[in-house]
Amino acid sequence: MSNRTVLHGIGVSAGTASGPIAVVTPAVGIDEHEPASTDPEADSERIRAVLHDVAASLSARAEHANSDSAKAVMDATASLATDKGLIRGIDKELKKGTGPTKAIHDAVELYANKLRKIGGYMAERVTDLYDIRDRATARLRGLPEPGIPDLTEPSILIAHDLAPAETATLDKNLVLGIVTEAGGATSHTAILAAQLGIPCAVQVKGIAEATVDAPLVALDGGVGEVIVAPNASDVDELEERSRRRAAALAGSSGEGATRDGYKVKLLANTGTAEDAQKAAGYDLEGSGLFRSEFLFLDRDAAPSLEEQTETYTKVLEAFGNRRVVVRTLDAGADKPLSFADLGEEENPALGRRGLRLSQAREDLLDTQLEALASAAHNVPNSELWVMAPMVATVEEAKWFAERARGAGLKKVGVMVETPAAAIRAGQVLEEVDFASIGTNDLSQYTMAADRMQGELAELLSPWQPAVLSMIRETCRGGEATGKPVGVCGEAGGDPLMALVLVGLGVKSLSMAPGKVNAVRAALRLHDFDTCRQMANFAVDARTAAGAREAVLNLADPVLKDLL
Ligand code: PEP
Ligand code: MG
């Protein structure tokens, strides 16, 4: 029997689970010992056969996919495996004498660069191309194919990291939980896991090694604890935590408010009309962030005015008279659009993304604003708010507000995602009606730490006192101008952090719908004055860990059951 081990990572999707593990097989890479190709034709035959098998197995899996989008992803990958351009590239490498697995890697890299240059939809196929490379390499080397194994029983997935596409295709009935060694709290994998309501912990160092001989694990996705080879009392304890959590959540319904009745709107983050329809079924007060770029990505041309109007109308209809905050197109740079290519950039996160792209392509923004105004007209009792992403200056806020108001939109705001907007929030807010803090990007830019870098998770924590200072400055700007400031980054879905945000002056919190109950219960346990005190302690702390600990010490003991 293996040894019981307790590991700690970052909890990104609350809930507990225990069960057998299913290891997501990592990619094997080039065979370092392979000889040069002395018979390129025979090697080419072998690689073609392997690619054919890869395509066939992906197509077979596509038939059993659990959703149309998952099927489409797998079908597209399958057809890329037998792409003639790719095979020609591999043949070229073999003819140079390159060994088979290296020939695949080199040819794929050249092909990937070409796709990246084309941008848009083609650039996004690069992930699929790497998937094919890794599957083909594993087969050539006689090793298991990378990726999520076919699950025959409900299991907890153990992975180094999961690609967002893999997470999006998970079957909720078979995946009890997810534990990854890498990944960050604001990575899209974490966001998707929370959206699916699957308990998940990331940055659990040593999980792969610890589970080599241990078929069972127990997971608390709230606090990020993983017990490898748990004993009976661990499983009991986890079940007890689950019961306590259920008790703490019991009766969590209705408007968000502190114990003494200070109101805080609890809203959902959404990205598609389907998402919005699902979220609207939850007990919450609207959508605080509709990520409209989902409608634009993966396409050869921008969605038409009619299509956009139809989508926004559906979103507004879903929420009735509840608030819906639509963020205008947040693309560019790392989310390229083939129909709005502004050229390659050295530092995409600091490039022409978000509102900067809209300023370069006013036509795209104007069509979107017109569609939003038509949708509001189609749903007369709706409450539509519209905001711009990645605003850094007062001029940008003014430019956006004039355009949006000119299109007939009533409530116009900006996201605060840059330190520049945060420390000048008062002046920025003079131009608009509201602000919503994007804590994911605000952390990234305040700490100069790439949000996609799991290794930098500590720097990216919203508990960093520097980030909290930015939030405080933004709220001060809100108070000075009498304009509401909300939060729509992942920080808003953490019950403990939510108390701090409210204490800092945030009036609404938007999060994955599955997180609303816990945040609402946390607010109900505390008075506004306690939240204020927590906020002061947190901002005054010297370290992120110190900030969190100070706040936890002030919290009601039941709060721990919600984490
Ligand atoms: C944010 O940056 O916090 C945010 C909500 O926007 P996104 O995560 O879509 O960049
Ligand atoms: Mg952002």
Side-chain angles (χ1 to χ4, degrees):
M1 245 336 253
S2 45
N3 287 338
R4 174 182 178 279
T5 317
V6 182
L7 300 172
H8 293 276
I10 304 171
V12 292
S13 179
T16 59
S18 60
I21 62 164
V23 178
V24 178
T25 316
V28 288
I30 297 170
D31 179 357
E32 299 295 344
H33 305 291
E34 75 184 349
S37 177
T38 48
D39 187 347
E41 262 170 41
D43 285 336
S44 172
E45 276 300 303
R46 210 151 57 91
I47 293 174
R48 279 167 202 251
V50 157
L51 287 171
H52 181 267
D53 290 350
V54 168
S57 97
L58 284 168
S59 300
R61 284 180 58 185
E63 288 310 309
H64 297 105
N66 51 35
S67 71
D68 287 349
S69 56
K71 182 176 183 314
V73 169
M74 284 189 237
D75 276 335
T77 312
S79 60
L80 203 52
T82 48
D83 183 275
K84 290 204 179 71
L86 174 63
I87 291 172
R88 268 199 305 274
I90 294 171
D91 285 349
K92 229 184 197 170
E93 294 301 322
L94 291 171
K95 282 191 188 126
K96 287 191 223 159
T98 311
T101 64
K102 187 159 185 333
I104 293 179
H105 276 72
D106 290 354
V108 160
E109 207 45 50
L110 282 175
Y111 203 43
N113 283 335
K114 272 191 204 153
L115 295 184
R116 281 196 196 97
K117 283 217 175 85
I118 301 171
Y121 176 82
M122 296 317 281
E124 281 165 31
R125 297 280 73 80
V126 168
T127 321
D128 302 340
L129 200 56
Y130 286 153
D131 189 26
I132 291 161
R133 175 196 67 190
D134 295 339
R135 288 175 192 279
T137 306
R139 278 179 187 250
L140 270 181
R141 298 185 63 180
L143 296 167
E145 268 193 35
I148 298 170
D150 284 332
L151 301 176
T152 50
E153 57 178 338
S155 313
I156 295 180
L157 289 185
I158 309 289
H160 178 71
D161 201 358
L162 278 180
E166 279 177 313
T167 316
T169 57
L170 294 180
D171 180 349
K172 240 194 105 174
N173 297 318
L174 286 172
V175 179
L176 298 171
I178 302 171
V179 181
T180 70
E181 188 123 16
T186 55
S187 66
H188 284 109
T189 297
I191 293 172
L192 281 168
Q195 228 140 39
L196 290 166
I198 298 175
C200 175
V202 299
Q203 288 288 310
V204 183
K205 298 289 177 208
I207 185 67
E209 209 175 313
T211 47
V212 168
D213 295 316
L216 290 179
V217 299
L219 157 71
D220 183 332
V223 296
E225 185 179 283
V226 182
I227 306 174
V228 178
N231 54 37
S233 70
D234 289 326
V235 176
D236 287 350
E237 148 84 21
L238 217 64
E239 276 168 12
E240 174 56 24
R241 270 193 225 175
S242 249
R243 269 192 295 277
R244 283 206 305 264
R245 183 175 162 78
L249 285 175
S252 167
S253 63
E255 286 181 339
T258 59
R259 186 165 55 189
D260 52 335
Y262 176 88
K263 290 206 173 129
V264 181
K265 274 211 186 287
L266 300 178
L267 309 162
N269 288 349
T270 54
T272 61
E274 202 185 6
D275 253 12
Q277 282 153 353
K278 261 192 224 150
Y282 282 73
D283 180 4
L284 42 75
E285 296 164 76
S287 175
L289 170 64
F290 178 79
R291 290 181 160 104
S292 71
E293 61 273 12
F294 281 84
L295 196 57
F296 290 76
L297 298 173
D298 246 6
R299 291 185 177 241
D300 301 330
S304 65
L305 174 68
E306 293 70 32
E307 183 184 351
Q308 289 193 58
T309 307
E310 194 187 325
T311 301
Y312 306 142
T313 302
K314 277 190 198 153
V315 175
L316 293 182
E317 277 170 354
F319 284 102
N321 62 2
R322 290 180 277 175
R323 182 188 305 170
V324 174
V325 187
V326 174
R327 168 172 78 189
T328 56
L329 184 59
D330 185 18
D334 59 333
K335 289 186 252 177
L337 302 175
S338 58
F339 50 87
D341 184 9
L342 302 181
E344 248 177 79
E345 295 180 318
E346 283 283 327
N347 295 298
L350 304 178
R352 287 205 275 176
R353 55 165 296 203
L355 185 66
R356 299 168 190 178
L357 175 85
S358 296
Q359 291 192 313
R361 285 293 308 269
E362 295 177 3
D363 56 319
L364 291 178
L365 180 67
D366 287 344
T367 307
Q368 185 171 32
L369 295 173
E370 193 183 336
L372 285 163
S374 302
H377 179 78
N378 291 345
V379 191
N381 65 341
S382 59
E383 193 194 333
L384 172 64
W385 295 24
V386 177
M387 64 184 181
M390 278 295 291
V391 169
T393 67
V394 171
E395 291 97 317
E396 285 169 357
K398 187 168 188 285
W399 181 86
F400 178 74
E402 280 172 5
R403 273 197 124 71
R405 290 189 184 122
L409 293 160
K410 302 246 155 33
K411 227 15 180 178
V412 177
V414 291
M415 286 192 75
V416 172
E417 303 183 276
T418 62
I423 55 179
R424 306 292 288 183
Q427 285 89 341
V428 168
L429 271 162
E430 275 168 15
E431 302 297 334
V432 291
D433 304 314
F434 70 97
S436 182
I437 306 175
T439 49
N440 306 337
D441 276 319
L442 186 59
S443 301
Q444 156 164 276
Y445 295 124
T446 302
M447 304 305 293
D450 184 347
R451 67 190 267 195
M452 306 314 287
Q453 276 268 359
E455 295 303 316
L456 301 178
E458 254 179 68
L459 281 177
L460 285 161
S461 162
W463 290 98
Q464 286 291 350
V467 176
L468 294 171
S469 290
M470 289 292 171
I471 298 172
R472 181 170 63 182
E473 284 312 305
T474 313
C475 291
R476 282 182 176 159
E479 269 147 39
T481 51
K483 313 259 172 91
V485 172
V487 163
C488 62
E490 296 313 297
D494 171 348
L496 192 62
M497 173 54 79
L499 301 173
V500 173
L501 295 172
V502 168
L504 287 169
V506 161
K507 307 280 190 248
S508 63
L509 298 165
S510 194
M511 61 201 85
K515 293 186 172 181
V516 166
N517 266 347
V519 169
R520 177 167 36 218
L523 289 176
R524 291 268 164 89
L525 286 170
H526 301 88
D527 290 331
F528 182 58
D529 271 350
T530 309
C531 295
R532 278 242 281 262
Q533 201 186 355
M534 287 171 163
N536 288 334
F537 272 50
V539 180
D540 289 344
R542 291 168 58 81
T543 63
R548 189 172 186 279
E549 196 183 308
V551 174
L552 201 52
N553 283 338
L554 290 171
D556 186 291
V558 175
L559 185 112
K560 282 207 173 117
D561 298 336
L562 293 168
L563 297 177

